[in-house]
Every structure is written in C-alpha cells, then in structure tokens.
Amino acid sequence: MTALQAPPAGDAATAGQVARRRWQRSRGVLVALLALAVVGVLLALMRPRTGSEYLDPDSPGQQGSRALAEITRRHGTPVTVVHSASAAAERLRAQPDAVLVVVRSERLVPADLTALRGAPGDRLLITPSGETLKALAPGVEAAGSAWSTPEPGCTLPAAAYAGSADFLEATTYTAPGQATKCYPTTGGAGLVQLPVDGATVTVLGATRPLTNEHLAERGNAALAMNLIEARPNAVWLMPDLPSPGSGGQKSFGELVPFGVKLAVLQIVIAVALVALWRSRRLGPVVVEPLPVIVRSAEAVEGRARLYRSRRAADRAAEALRAGALERLTGLLGMPRTAASDPAMAAEIVAAIAAHTGREQAEIGAALYGPPPVDDAGLVLLVGVLDDLERLVRSS
Amino acid sequence: MALTGRTGLLAVLGAVVLVLVPSWWTLLAVDGTVIALVAADLTLAGNVRRLRLHRSGDTNVRLGEEATVSLIVENPGPRRLRARLRDAWSPSAGASPRSAAVTIPPGERRHVETRLVPTRRGDRAPVTVTVRSYGPLGLAARQLNRSAPWTVRVLPAFPSRRHLPAKLARLRELTGQHVALIRGQGTEFDSLREYVDGDDVRSIDWRATARRSDVVVRTWRPERDRRIYLVLDTGRTAAGRVGDIPRLDCSMDAALLLGALAARAGDRVDLLAYDRRVRTRVEGAARTELLTAMVRAMAPLEPELIESDAAGMVSALLSRVRQRCLVVLLTDLNATAIEEGLLPLLPQLTAKHLVLVAAVSDPRVTEMATSRGDAAAVYDAAAAERARAERRRVTAELRKYGVEVVDAPPDEIAPALADAYLSLKAAGRL
C-alpha cells in the first residue's frame, strides 16, 4: 500500500529526498520499458528486409529476380510469370511439362494450395511456408536454419554441377528416405528433391541464389538455372497479396492456443483481485465541516470595482477629498468637525496655503472644486491631494 | 474483509500454470486453491471484534503546538494479531502517522501513538479506529471499524501573551509597590500613618491629627476589585478574515490579554460570548483560574453567519450585573450593525456602566487606501477612504454616548486594548 507507506504530511522532505523516493518507486517500470525497447529494436534489426520487389521476376532491384528469369529465357526456357494460383494451375494444365516456381508462398491461402495441388507438373518451392510445404511437399518438414556456404554433397545433377553455393542463411529440411538431400548440415538439408504423385518436387531453403544481387556469387546462378531449366517450360508464381476475406483464413481466436485463452481468463481474475485489493479503503473518508472563509475587506473591494465599472470619478473624488481633509485638519490642529463643515472651507484653504506656499486657488480647486469627469482627472486629483498632505506633514 | 497484493500475484502465477497445463480443470483447481487459501487466512487472522481499545494522552493543546494521544490496543484473543491500524481523526486535527503496523501476541497490549498538530481551534475527536488484521499467509485480512472516544480541546494560541510582561510593568508603575501619598484620580483611601519629613502637607488628615498627638497623613492606593465584563460578539462580523485569521480569533486574543492583566490588577473579570444566544459564559472565576477558564470556554467558539442580536446581548448582560462595571465589547465597527443594533440601546448600558468598544480593523483596507498609480488603484483607494470615513463616523457617534473606542489592526489590538484599560484605571474611571 504505497499510500500508507507515504511519510506523514508533517515531515518536510527535501527536494533530493523526494527525487530519490520517486526514482526508487519508478526505476522498476523504467528498466522494464528499457528492456522492451531494446528487444523491439533487436527484433526490428533481425527481421529480413522484404519489399514488394522481393523475388519478383519482373523486378530489376537488388532483391528482385529479373536477372535469373531473363537468363533462363535466353537459354531457351520460356518463363511465364503469373500472379495467382488459379492462373498458375490453368497454365500448368496447358503446359504439363512445365516446372512451377513458387516464391513468397506465405501469401498463398489454403484455397490456392488446393488449386495448385490439383495441377500437373514439377514444383520448385523457394523457402515455402509451413502450410505450403504440407500441401505440396508432404513428408518434408522444416528442421531449423543454418548459416553456411555449403557443398552439394549429393548426386543431384543440378546441385552437383553447380558446386558450392552462397546461401548465407538457409532453412534446412528433413524428408523421408526416398528424397534426395543436398547441401546437408547437422539438422537437415538445404535442398530436398522428392517425387510426389509422379511429379518432382524440389524444396530450396535459400532465396539468395535467385536474387539479382547475389546471383553471381559462387554456384548460385548455376544452381538456380539448373533447377528451373530441368524442364522445357517454367511458370513463375509470384502470388499477389490475398484479398481480405478471400476465405480459408482462421480467426484470431482459432489461432490462439487454448492454454493462452485460459491464462488470459485467469489474468482477468487476477486483475479483479488486484482491483479488490486496491479499492478497499483502510477505514472511511473522514469529513469535517469547514469554517466559512469570508475576507473582511471583500465589501470594500466590491465597492472599488463598482466605482470602476461605473467610472464614478465624482463619488471616488468625494471620498478621497473627505479622507484628505480629515487628515489635513488633524495635522493643522483644527477641530474634528472642521473637515465636514463647508463654512470652514476658506479657513482650511488659507491654513494649508500658509503651510505649503501653494496658491489658494489651486488648493481650493483640489479640495472643493468641481469633481473630475474621467479617470485621468481623478488620478491627477489624487496626485495633488497627496502632494498637499506631504507638504503639510513636512512643514 | 480485505485482500492484499499477494492474492493478485498468486492468481497471476496461476495463469502460468494454465499455459503449461491447459484445461478447464486446471482453472478450477487454481482458483479453488486461491479461494481456499484466502478463506484459511481469514479464519486464522487475529480477531478484531474482541480487541480492547483505550486511550491516554493530552486533552488540551494550544493551537500551533503538538499533542500526543496514545491508543492502547489489548489483544485478549488466542491468536497473534498482525494488523495495520488507522487511528482516523478529523483533518484539522493534523494527525500523523496516517496508519501504523502493529503485531500483538495473545494476551498482550501495545501503544500506538498519534501526534496531533491541530490547524484550527475547537474540540477535536477521533472518528474511528480501523483495524485490518492479516492472516498468517498475508493473503487476506479481516477489517473492522472500532471506536475509541477521546477529545482534545484545541485552545486559542494567545500569541499576545508576549505583551503581558510589559503591560504588567506599566500596571506596577501605576499601583506602585509602595502606597502613594498623593491623592490622584483613580485612587482610594488606604490608611493613615504618621507624618515624616518630606510628605506632602496637603495629605495631612487634620481630623485624625486633632484626635492624636502626632501629625497624621492619609495614604492612597489605586482602586481594586472593579468588575470587568468582556463581551465577545460571535455574529457575522466576527467571521470576516483580517489578514489570514477570523476577526473572532483576534478579539479572543485581545480579551485574553486584558483578562490576564485585569486579574493581576486585582479586578474581577467575567466573559460572555453572544450572537443571538449565549454561546459561552465565564463568571466568578477565581483570579488564578481565570485565564484557564477563559481559554477553555473560548476554544470551541466559532463565528455564526447571522446578524448579532444587540438587544439580547444587552439584556443578557444587564440581568447578570448589579454593580457598576467596565463592559468591554469586542466587535466590529460595522456601520449598519452598530447603528441599527447597539446605538439605540447604549443609553441603558452607559447609564450605569462604562462601555469600551474594541474593534479589529482590516490592514487590507489601510493598504488599499494608500494604493496609487492607475485608475483602478485610485478607485480602490476611494472605496477604502469611504470605508474608513464610515468607521470614523461610527466611532464619533459612539463617543457621543461616552463610549471608549479602541480601533486597531489585528497585531496591535491586544496591546491597544490593554493600554486603554490601564489608562482608564489610571484615570480612576473604572
């Protein structure tokens, strides 16, 4: 209960103590936030940069694959680029001797995979997604990933002629016994070829051999071309992003494991318990009737504002003159009633003139003259009255 | 009942178990365990209902000073009590700490001290004692509000007591430690003694000299045993704040200084607080007890936001006093309140008694009267001048009835009133 552990209000803490207490209270949260930021940055750095051009046979960019497609065409193997699974299946039915190159297979929805499975011809799957693998290369499973520049280590002509390739990072696969495995690493093989339903399915776990940027490195170009030119025709499937709601997508709820759902429910219960803990007060709120706070001078201030808003220079001047007269007669030793007695006016003015040396007309105008008509006149009048008072006081 | 953070933590740990073993049965088992542990903790927690609570400590504190009140908690139950205890006082009691952790083995008792630094005058009482008794696991607690009555009376601060030594010195000058030979005003006959060289011949008592063979002189001393009636007006004008404190508090301070001084001067002092009814009255207090009695009577007084009933006040006063006395009326020189209330009744009072009106003026008005510069400041000054003119008019009217008027700002009212009393005493007008 932080509220209860707070020091008593009477203890005056220095700024340093307050700062230290705040630091101690918040450092856990700060460390957690910092850790979160570091993890986020690391994940962002590790993520492969894949743009829309990635492995696109029409793209001349570094990550595109136009070079490979062009070279293959020049070697006499026509490459048809299609952007949807249905178009690919149609094309394959027209050219059953073609090899289907599938890149960016994560964009394929289950319906697409079904359409592809029904089509004839060989397959070349470049880093296929788990579902694609399951549908088009049954028995092959992703084992892990390896960082290496591997040697073929197999009898597959396409790989054996190409020699060592530059994969940088490759997904490795395990496959059933009848499959040919190339570029082996400890966990599996980077290239797997196996017969499925009478056709040949090749799974390549690396994308570097296809990109414009790295095509020329080591045996990359040879490997890629050998794999594609194994058949007289090639259909290159570069799927477009599936349109939303194109079917077959699982809802978020279906994707979340049951245990996580239960855990979320339990955390809701935990939050409710914490809310109960925090909401229970240690005793009731204590109320107390407070004294009314009325400033004594409020009425006087109110009157001042009224004078101001009405621009009542005449009334204000009357009050100021009366006050000044009271003090002046007191200073001059005149009777108390003199200040408010108009008959005494001449006598008072004469006495003040004698003390100050000012003109009687001027003094008479200041004390008994017509009232000022505006604020400026009032301020001037106050100045004159103050002068008179000061002079009489000092005389 | 109350939970602790540990219950929430336990439930979160349950979520981890659910990820590892996902099934509805696990959920049931996890939450069942939490509920069972909470229930066990509640059962094993120390009993709050049977605790015996007493208090000891200060019952009086001067405003601005610190009081300590102990709460004694006795645990007669068979189980150890581990609890957080909050002794809740009203906010203006300035109680700290807000809560305290206590552990009381069975059959033992503990003191929980609360420091009070009250911020207002009056009676302060604890509202409730809340005890949250934790179980052995610290998962859940039984919580109950108990009461342990006590009252701390916060007395007026009486800051003007620093003026008392100076005023007492003046009083001693007045009375003299030795009797005076010269009959002045405000003196009464003390005794006769033999003439010695240097005595004023005018003080020779010829009648007594004729009876004896020696020349005898009369000696005199200042009058004693006069009666002073202090009347505090607790109506609406007393509620207005001058500076930062209510006018009533300034009046109380002045009344206390005057009371202390008059008691030392040998006069009898009574106190009446009135607005539309008698709020408090101190009469016939012994001289040594007077200040204590006044302070205790004044402590719970609060200004009422109603117009004071001057007629009621005068009759309440006249019904109690027979002999002549000095009536000190502590109020404000508010033109309407005085002219409509007090003025018509003054002849009744002044016929037999001497009346002194003491009023606290507002330094803010004085400050406004000297404000100059732009038109707004000059209008302020004009309004302040008008207020002061009204005050002067009321003062003049009061003086016409032979009433003494003391009008001073809050920090000067107490010594000014004491001076006025000393002058009256010196002049023998009491």
Side-chain angles (χ1 to χ4, degrees), chain A residues 1, chain B residues 3-4 41 44-46 82-84 132-136 138 140-142:
Chain A
M1 299 222 112
Chain B
L3 296 177
T4 68
D41 225 21
L44 295 175
R82 290 194 312 118
R84 184 151 279 279
R132 183 179 282 188
S133 162
Y134 295 102
R142 295 192 208 177

Side-chain angles (χ1 to χ4, degrees), chain A residues 129-326:
Chain A
S129 66
E131 295 201 1
T132 312
L133 210 54
K134 211 183 278 178
L136 299 182
V140 181
E141 280 179 17
S145 62
W147 296 69
S148 58
T149 309
E151 295 300 323
C154 68
T155 55
L156 190 71
Y161 292 144
S164 72
D166 176 26
F167 287 174
L168 186 64
E169 188 203 2
T171 312
T172 59
Y173 301 94
T174 57
Q178 80 272 23
T180 315
K181 299 168 194 122
C182 296
Y183 302 105
T185 56
T186 48
L191 177 69
V192 173
Q193 193 170 62
L194 75 165
V196 176
D197 300 338
T200 307
V201 173
T202 312
V203 180
L204 178 60
T207 56
R208 260 161 101 94
L210 280 74
T211 57
N212 295 340
E213 189 181 8
H214 302 288
L215 188 65
E217 280 164 29
R218 294 184 187 254
N220 279 358
L223 174 66
M225 282 187 295
N226 288 346
L227 289 173
I228 296 172
E229 291 170 8
R231 303 304 298 258
N233 281 301
V235 177
W236 192 304
L237 173 58
M238 168 79 189
D240 288 333
L241 280 174
S243 57
S246 59
Q249 278 179 312
K250 287 183 175 177
S251 71
F252 179 73
E254 285 168 322
L255 289 169
V256 174
F258 182 56
V260 174
K261 283 187 214 166
L262 282 180
V264 168
L265 182 63
Q266 179 65 26
I267 283 171
V268 168
I269 293 173
V271 167
L273 291 176
V274 169
L276 279 177
W277 161 46
R278 297 304 305 182
S279 61
R280 184 81 163 106
R281 283 187 57 88
L282 189 58
V285 177
V286 179
V287 292
E288 168 181 31
L290 288 174
V292 190
I293 294 184
V294 193
R295 282 182 306 121
S296 177
E298 226 160 42
V300 180
E301 282 168 2
R303 186 188 291 275
R305 279 194 285 273
L306 264 182
Y307 278 159
R308 207 167 108 203
S309 68
R310 298 287 109 211
R311 305 197 166 279
D314 48 349
R315 279 166 188 275
E318 195 184 315
L320 288 166
R321 278 171 170 170
L325 268 174
E326 187 84 23

Side-chain angles (χ1 to χ4, degrees), chain B residues 85-293:
Chain B
L85 185 145
R86 175 181 169 217
D87 190 4
W89 292 68
S90 47
S92 66
S96 69
R98 190 178 178 274
S99 72
V102 286
T103 304
I104 311 177
E108 293 189 19
R109 60 169 70 180
R110 291 285 181 274
H111 285 248
V112 179
E113 285 207 339
T114 303
R115 285 188 319 127
L116 303 176
V117 186
T119 53
R120 273 197 295 133
R121 212 165 24 74
D123 286 342
R124 296 285 165 267
V127 179
T128 176
V129 176
T130 307
V131 185
R132 183 179 282 188
S133 162
Y134 295 102
L137 295 171
L139 285 175
R142 295 192 208 177
Q143 181 173 324
L144 205 66
N145 294 335
R146 297 284 306 273
S147 70
W150 191 257
T151 305
V152 173
R153 178 156 283 194
V154 185
L155 308 172
F158 192 15
S160 67
R161 65 179 179 278
R162 67 177 192 277
H163 295 294
L164 193 56
K167 301 302 166 201
L168 284 175
R170 244 196 92 189
L171 180 71
R172 271 196 298 278
E173 254 170 54
L174 202 68
T175 56
Q177 291 303 332
H178 48 84
V179 287
L181 286 175
I182 299 167
R183 178 180 189 179
Q185 280 184 318
T187 51
E188 59 189 23
F189 175 70
D190 184 43
S191 61
L192 295 170
R193 65 166 171 77
E194 284 175 15
Y195 178 85
V196 290
D197 279 352
D199 280 348
D200 191 342
V201 290
R202 285 177 297 177
S203 61
I204 295 172
D205 186 327
W206 295 110
R207 213 183 281 255
T209 305
R211 280 202 293 273
R212 296 164 66 168
S213 56
D214 276 333
V215 180
V216 172
V217 292
R218 290 183 195 177
T219 58
W220 308 89
R221 63 169 188 186
E223 56 199 355
R224 291 173 68 86
D225 286 318
R226 301 292 136 160
R227 200 162 175 198
I228 296 176
Y229 221 105
L230 300 171
V231 183
L232 275 176
D233 178 4
T234 56
R236 66 172 175 90
T237 54
R241 295 198 168 221
V242 283
D244 197 33
I245 51 173
R247 182 170 270 127
L248 180 64
D249 286 33
C250 297
S251 301
M252 281 183 183
D253 190 41
L256 284 172
L257 183 66
L258 179 56
L261 187 62
R264 294 286 279 276
D267 292 330
R268 288 171 49 207
V269 182
D270 299 316
L271 173 77
L272 171 73
Y274 198 93
D275 41 63
R276 297 194 81 84
R277 62 186 176 84
V278 176
R279 299 288 302 280
T280 192
R281 210 196 269 271
V282 176
E283 275 179 346
R287 268 164 207 158
T288 48
E289 299 296 316
L290 175 77
L291 208 59
T292 322

Side-chain angles (χ1 to χ4, degrees), chain A residues 38-55:
Chain A
V38 166
V39 168
V41 168
L42 282 178
L43 285 176
L45 286 176
M46 282 165 65
R47 187 170 156 269
R49 272 169 225 111
T50 55
S52 60
E53 60 169 20
Y54 186 56
L55 297 181

